[in-house]
Amino acid sequence: MPEPVPPKSASFRSQLAAALDAESLGRLLVNERQRLREANQRSPQGTRACRALAEATDQVIQRMLAISLPEDPVVREATRPKIAVAATGGYGRRELCPYSDIDVTFVVAEEEDPDLDATVRRMFLLLMETFTQQVGLKVGYAYRTLGDAGHLDHQTETSLLDTRVIAGSHGLTQQFIQEVFRHIWPAAFARQKVSERRALMEKHGGTIYRIEPEVREGPGGLRDLHLAEWLAAACFPTTRGDVWTQLQRLGAVSRRNVQQVTAAREFLLTIRNWMHWHTGRKAEVLVRERQELLAEALRFVDDAHASRVERFMEKYYEHAARVETVTRFVIDRCFSERLSLSDELVSSGNELHPAFPWVKVATPQFLVTLGQHYQSHGLVPGHDLRRMIAEHLDHCPDLSTDTEAADDFMGLLRAPASPEPPRYVDHVVTSRPGVYDTLALLAELGVLQRLIPELGTAYQRVPFDQIHRHTIGFHSLLAVRSLESLRTTPDERLADFRRVWSEVEAPELLFLACLLHDVGKVAPPGDHSEAGARMARAICQRLRLDPVQTQRVETLVRHHLLMSDTAQLRDVTLDKTIQDFTQIIDSVDLLNMLLLLTYADMEATGVISPVKIRFLEDLYYRAEPVLSGAAPQQQEFTPDRARRFQTRLSRQLAAANLTPEQIREHTEGMPVSYLLNTRPEQIATHIRMVEAHRANGPVVDFDNEFGSEVTTVHICTEERPEPGLLSEIAGVLYAHEVAVYSAQVFTREGDPGIALDTLFADYHGRAIPTFKRLELEQDLIAALKGGDVEQIIIQHRKQLPPAIPPSRVRFNNEIAESHTVIDIRANDQPGLLYRITRAMARLGWDIHSARITTQGDRARDAFYVTDMEGGKLEGDESELTDAFLAEFSR
């Protein structure tokens, strides 16, 4: 290709010398850019064209500084050494494409100098008016003093690696850049840069072989070359300047590699320049239309095997592949070096090593910093560092001795959610390790147990309850893992938990509460929740949490079993249950955190199940409107209000092909609690069941709306004057090996009355299969028609073993307004529910609802009962207990 027409620097410079304002500067630059455009369109070029644009821009900015300096000669000469105007980014590299940003940094020697300040203000106005208003370019502007060099963010540090002085003091610029480099830790810089680059490449498709590639930011694009140069500048100071030649001398790349990247840069810049000029704006994507035009502009030709466009794109992919390969060579070489990470640490590969043998490792700040480096860069302690920590860890105090370390520890608990576990690609962790990964590393090193001594004790302590499979401390760490997994779980069954996680206001407090929730079990025997709350308060104070934060963690630890117990053992359809719960859990954020903590604790223990998840959700969605103020104020259910409610419900049921008389009879005969807590479609099913019962007797219906692993069993039969219906049902279910989690019993008034029982059950941990439903329905109907339940049990080759009496039976008349709640704890045993309900029936206790939960070999059940007259059970608790145990063991 012929050489491009260079800018007429002498003519352009002489005209600039006469310019005194933004309008004249802008007009001259527009004319010069137009001349360069015409030359480039005749013969597209890359590097030379970029440098011509950069040179023209330099001359304009140099003139701006001359205009902006004070007019007084003495003051002017005094001010000139105190200011430097430097180009950064692509402009600093002289890779200025036609519509690239003009990134400029003012470096000043001192602040509060009125002459210097006036110069900078005039210069700034000229920059904006000339480039933005007159030429239509975007200006990136920064103002720096020498003291700023140690307080720059990562992106600013990166842009300053390409700094080039345009006007003013070269010495001041050099001094500033040296300060910038002095504050860059190569190991951290390189890993962050590569991690950012990988994320950006994924955004642009993750491969060079895109049909419409992005020539600047995409894989194999110009940004890969920039990355290699930035890494070399940070990791190998001798490469600053002629980077690729120096990399060749270091053996990181070959001479051929240098030739390849030089050619690739020229090709990519040629494409980018042409697209900018052609579109009159930033244009970085090589769309199909531009491919056609570029193939023609760059004089590619058709041949017998491919069109010129195909030949052009082949050349693009060839260059992109070479850029990608050579950049990886540079990355590999950088990460194989021992790179400084701090005054005390260096990295090599993915490992941390002591910077010198006498590094003080037994300090809270140093040990917490290990967690920070792991979270930020995926770096783990190497052998030497692990050995030093193990040797000196006993001498390390806890977090109470170091405020900064305590703050940084809480920072570890604020790690953002990651959709996948960390993995390494090109020596760099692809996703940031989360809270669990970090705490697990610290626990592996023994650091977590040392910084929070209570956890050290918990790690070696076996819990009293038999459902746990790990020590107290290790279980808590597993609970953190379960908690964190909810943030990004793809399981749609947990979508509500994922949504709730996104609304938690202080994730670090939730993680801390999760880590500490069982710490009270290391205290002397007693209420571990209360003991744990006291210990959590002391730990929070050592971590320098404020009183509000401390109270939040303390509350979560104290009541970490409340939601589980309430959801599994209380009738959440009763207003009293929700009132009692929300008096303790008194805000939506606390409710959100407790829901997640409860799930995590149950999942880590291994007792979570679909039905328990649904119970938790049911409680949550009944409590949340109360706490958020969305629930209507409790009003007395007056006859007038009841009629309005029934009218509204009738309209909802009208679409179910039911007659108005059927709807009226059912809604008037059912208690208010049923109407308020039963879905309209389920009410419609019940009405049909009642009609079927009138024609054919007892009706049994199955559905799986409660979850794929849980079957809802609906039973409709004639109400009996004596208790015992639920006992007969439980006996049949025992005969068929069907487990029950919950039972709700309602009676429809009438002559005769109709009993409507709803049970949530499963068959060996899954939904009741079709073949089993047919057998179960047959036996249930037989029992409801008067059949002998004991005989049905024998027919299925079942026999109740000798009874193991419950370990605890408690009667409570305060939990519910109209019922006595009987709380029973017992060893799990065949037919337990049948034994309990049979005993209550023999005693004349009418069961209205029941919750049944089993964890390991322990069962804990709750029954809402009344006496034969519909009132609460009266009498001495010990006498009631003795009577129940006597019937239970018969």
Side-chain angles (χ1 to χ4, degrees):
M1 297 181 182
E3 288 294 316
V5 178
K8 297 179 180 178
S9 300
S11 174
F12 180 55
R13 188 183 296 275
S14 63
Q15 293 180 64
L16 282 174
L20 297 174
D21 55 30
E23 183 178 357
S24 56
L25 289 171
R27 182 174 62 254
L28 289 171
L29 183 56
V30 167
N31 293 338
E32 182 67 5
R33 284 170 56 85
Q34 179 60 26
R35 191 175 63 78
L36 293 175
R37 177 184 183 280
E38 292 170 357
N40 193 78
Q41 294 303 88
R42 289 194 300 270
S43 180
Q45 289 289 307
T47 304
R48 290 173 64 91
C50 289
R51 290 186 174 180
L53 273 171
E55 181 182 349
T57 305
D58 288 353
Q59 292 174 18
V60 172
I61 291 177
Q62 289 161 3
R63 179 56 185 162
M64 288 180 178
L65 181 58
I67 296 171
S68 301
L69 284 167
E71 295 181 2
D72 185 292
V74 176
V75 179
R76 185 183 186 90
E77 290 309 312
T79 304
R80 191 190 302 273
K82 299 178 183 178
I83 185 171
V85 184
T88 60
Y91 180 28
R93 290 188 299 271
R94 290 191 175 89
E95 284 186 5
L96 191 62
C97 290
Y99 289 92
S100 298
D101 294 352
I102 310 298
D103 292 321
V104 175
T105 293
F106 292 161
V107 182
V108 296
E110 57 187 73
E111 294 184 280
E112 298 182 1
D113 181 323
D115 296 315
L116 190 57
D117 290 346
T119 301
V120 171
R121 282 196 295 271
R122 286 193 292 268
M123 184 76 182
F124 174 75
L125 291 174
L126 277 175
L127 272 171
M128 294 302 164
E129 292 176 4
T130 301
F131 289 105
T132 303
Q133 299 176 19
Q134 301 294 323
V135 187
L137 299 177
K138 183 179 178 181
V139 176
Y141 166 84
Y143 176 86
R144 307 289 178 197
T145 65
L146 291 177
D148 293 335
H151 309 284
L152 303 173
D153 61 71
H154 177 74
Q155 296 301 333
T156 301
E157 288 178 339
T158 304
S159 68
L160 290 172
L161 294 183
D162 295 308
T163 298
R164 176 177 57 85
V165 66
I166 304 171
S169 173
H170 286 247
L172 181 60
T173 305
Q174 188 61 29
Q175 186 180 358
F176 178 72
I177 295 305
Q178 287 175 351
E179 280 296 298
V180 171
F181 272 106
R182 194 170 68 83
H183 288 89
I184 291 178
W185 293 107
F189 178 87
R191 290 182 175 279
Q192 187 165 351
K193 209 75 253 168
V194 174
S195 179
E196 288 173 357
R197 179 68 187 133
R198 182 164 298 282
L200 190 57
M201 288 193 295
E202 289 298 324
K203 179 181 176 181
H204 291 293
T207 175
I208 63 173
Y209 299 108
R210 298 274 288 187
I211 294 175
E212 295 184 336
E214 217 274 14
V215 300
R216 181 170 179 261
E217 302 286 1
L222 288 163
R223 190 59 84 206
D224 276 342
L225 295 177
H226 303 156
L227 173 65
E229 292 162 357
W230 293 329
L231 296 187
C235 299
F236 307 113
T238 58
T239 62
R240 296 168 192 167
D242 189 358
V243 174
W244 292 99
T245 300
Q246 295 300 326
L247 283 172
Q248 180 186 334
R249 290 176 181 172
L250 287 170
V253 297
S254 67
R255 177 181 295 180
R256 184 166 179 267
N257 293 150
V258 176
Q259 294 170 345
Q260 288 172 338
V261 296
T262 300
R265 187 192 299 272
E266 178 64 25
F267 185 78
L268 293 172
L269 284 175
T270 298
I271 292 174
R272 191 168 181 236
N273 277 330
W274 186 93
M275 292 195 299
H276 276 221
W277 283 131
H278 176 74
T279 59
R281 57 179 174 81
K282 285 184 183 179
E284 315 296 354
V285 180
L286 191 51
V287 298
R288 290 177 184 268
E289 177 187 358
R290 294 171 194 160
Q291 293 172 17
E292 295 275 357
L293 298 172
L294 266 164
E296 180 180 359
L298 298 182
R299 297 179 175 82
F300 282 83
V301 296
D302 298 337
D303 59 36
H305 303 287
S307 67
R308 63 185 178 189
V309 175
E310 290 172 321
R311 292 302 184 200
F312 166 69
M313 291 305 295
E314 285 175 359
K315 181 61 67 174
Y316 172 85
Y317 295 126
E318 176 185 317
H319 284 304
R322 288 172 176 170
V323 166
E324 192 173 54
T325 298
V326 176
T327 300
R328 185 170 289 113
F329 291 162
V330 176
I331 294 173
D332 290 344
R333 178 55 188 273
C334 288
F335 289 147
S336 67
E337 296 289 315
R338 283 175 64 89
L339 301 177
S340 296
L341 186 63
S342 68
D343 289 329
E344 300 169 314
L345 292 168
V346 298
S347 72
S348 178
N350 293 318
E351 291 188 341
L352 289 170
H353 304 281
F356 43 87
W358 53 91
V359 168
K360 293 182 179 180
V361 301
T363 68
Q365 185 59 64
F366 180 88
L367 296 173
V368 172
T369 299
L370 296 182
Q372 291 177 317
H373 290 319
Y374 179 59
Q375 272 194 355
S376 299
H377 311 299
L379 294 169
V380 297
H383 169 75
D384 289 343
L385 192 54
R386 286 174 180 265
R387 178 184 55 77
M388 293 172 66
I389 292 171
E391 184 176 348
H392 298 286
L393 189 59
D394 288 345
H395 304 293
C396 180
D398 63 34
L399 286 168
S400 65
T401 63
D402 192 327
T403 302
E404 185 177 353
D407 290 341
D408 289 344
F409 179 81
M410 291 304 297
L412 297 178
L413 305 185
R414 298 187 188 98
S418 176
E420 59 183 20
R423 56 190 179 88
Y424 291 92
V425 178
D426 292 342
H427 309 290
V428 176
V429 67
T430 58
S431 59
R432 181 176 177 180
V435 173
Y436 166 74
D437 294 308
T438 305
L439 294 179
L441 173 64
L442 295 181
E444 177 189 339
L445 297 171
V447 170
L448 181 62
Q449 301 91 311
R450 190 68 190 177
L451 297 179
I452 303 178
E454 293 88 344
L455 288 176
T457 304
Y459 252 78
Q460 300 173 349
R461 190 69 59 85
V462 175
F464 292 110
D465 45 354
Q466 298 180 9
I467 61 171
H468 282 273
R469 297 168 292 182
H470 304 93
T471 63
I472 297 167
F474 195 79
H475 158 74
S476 297
L477 193 60
L478 293 181
V480 170
R481 182 178 66 181
S482 299
L483 175 63
E484 188 169 35
S485 70
L486 284 174
R487 302 175 87 172
T488 56
T489 177
D491 190 341
E492 283 306 309
R493 294 174 299 180
L494 299 174
D496 286 347
F497 290 85
R498 191 170 61 239
R499 177 195 61 77
V500 169
W501 232 128
S502 69
E503 297 174 1
V504 171
E505 296 174 2
E508 69 276 13
L509 300 183
L510 176 54
F511 278 122
L512 182 60
C514 188
L515 193 62
L516 303 179
H517 76 278
D518 268 352
V519 73
K521 290 182 178 180
V522 305
D527 185 348
H528 82 274
S529 297
E530 189 61 40
R534 292 192 297 270
M535 297 168 72
R537 184 193 316 128
I539 293 169
C540 288
Q541 290 170 351
R542 296 204 302 266
L543 291 171
R544 306 296 197 275
L545 299 188
D546 64 39
V548 174
Q549 294 171 322
T550 298
Q551 180 64 36
R552 184 58 51 95
V553 175
E554 184 182 348
T555 300
L556 287 171
V557 173
R558 175 175 285 111
H559 299 295
H560 72 273
L561 296 175
L562 176 63
M563 195 164 196
S564 171
D565 287 349
T566 303
Q568 295 183 85
L569 298 170
R570 296 291 172 257
D571 189 341
V572 298
T573 66
L574 301 179
D575 290 341
K576 183 70 163 56
T577 301
I578 304 303
Q579 290 170 4
D580 291 345
F581 179 75
T582 53
Q583 283 179 355
I584 298 172
I585 307 304
D586 57 4
S587 72
V588 173
D589 188 55
L590 190 60
L591 175 67
N592 288 344
M593 291 199 286
L594 185 59
L595 172 69
L596 300 170
L597 174 57
T598 303
Y599 171 90
D601 187 18
M602 296 173 73
E603 204 278 336
T605 310
V607 300
I608 199 68
S609 67
V611 70
K612 291 177 181 178
I613 291 173
R614 290 297 298 270
F615 284 166
L616 290 175
E617 291 176 334
D618 193 12
L619 173 57
Y620 176 87
Y621 284 112
R622 291 178 187 274
E624 193 274 338
V626 175
L627 296 174
S628 66
Q633 295 292 323
Q634 292 296 325
Q635 303 177 28
E636 182 182 355
F637 215 73
T638 62
D640 182 61
R641 183 166 173 252
R643 281 194 298 272
R644 291 199 304 272
F645 178 82
Q646 290 169 346
T647 300
R648 185 165 61 252
L649 181 61
S650 297
R651 288 197 298 269
Q652 293 174 315
L653 293 172
N657 295 322
L658 300 171
T659 67
E661 178 58 29
Q662 289 174 327
I663 296 171
R664 183 194 60 76
E665 183 181 8
H666 188 75
T667 55
E668 289 181 356
M670 296 300 292
V672 170
S673 59
Y674 168 88
L675 299 177
L676 290 174
N677 292 285
T678 308
R679 293 177 294 107
E681 56 268 29
Q682 190 56 66
I683 293 176
T685 297
H686 286 165
I687 294 174
R688 295 190 187 96
M689 292 177 71
V690 171
E691 296 301 318
H693 172 268
R694 284 173 173 169
N696 302 303
V699 179
V700 178
D701 184 70
F702 303 89
D703 72 51
N704 278 57
E705 61 84 21
F706 201 72
S708 59
E709 291 87 359
V710 180
T711 298
T712 307
V713 184
H714 300 283
I715 297 173
C716 176
T717 189
E718 185 174 325
E719 174 66 5
R720 303 174 184 178
E722 71 285 347
L725 177 59
L726 184 58
S727 171
E728 294 180 357
I729 294 170
V732 175
L733 295 179
Y734 163 62
H736 286 267
E737 300 180 358
V738 172
V740 178
Y741 297 98
S742 175
Q744 194 78 40
V745 180
F746 287 107
T747 301
R748 184 175 124 169
E749 295 179 358
D751 189 17
I754 301 295
L756 288 167
D757 292 10
T758 301
L759 301 93
F760 301 123
D762 69 27
Y763 178 71
H764 295 173
R766 53 192 174 88
I768 302 174
T770 302
F771 77 89
K772 178 57 67 176
R773 293 184 184 187
L774 296 174
E775 298 175 359
L776 182 59
E777 180 182 5
Q778 181 178 353
D779 283 345
L780 282 171
I781 290 175
L784 296 172
K785 287 184 175 180
D788 188 343
V789 174
E790 297 287 348
Q791 189 61 37
I792 293 175
I793 293 174
I794 293 172
Q795 288 174 357
H796 286 273
R797 301 179 181 179
K798 293 288 188 301
Q799 183 176 3
L800 285 176
I804 304 176
S807 59
R808 193 183 84 170
V809 180
R810 293 286 185 270
F811 294 78
N812 192 316
N813 280 332
E814 305 300 324
I815 294 176
E817 293 180 352
S818 306
H819 307 88
T820 296
V821 178
I822 307 177
D823 192 335
I824 299 175
R825 297 188 183 186
N827 290 331
D828 192 27
Q829 52 194 286
L832 177 61
L833 178 62
Y834 177 46
R835 282 189 181 279
I836 292 173
T837 53
R838 185 181 63 178
M840 291 181 180
R842 288 171 176 172
L843 291 167
W845 299 346
D846 203 358
I847 302 172
H848 296 265
S849 66
R851 288 294 179 101
I852 298 93
T853 181
T854 304
Q855 296 180 351
D857 62 349
R858 302 292 296 169
R860 186 177 177 190
D861 304 339
F863 299 85
Y864 286 68
V865 305
T866 59
D867 59 20
M868 294 284 287
E869 286 72 38
K872 293 182 178 182
L873 303 184
E874 301 293 341
D876 183 74
E877 183 174 4
S878 61
E879 294 179 357
L880 292 173
T881 301
D882 291 342
F884 171 78
L885 292 177
E887 292 296 338
F888 179 89
S889 300
R890 281 179 56 189

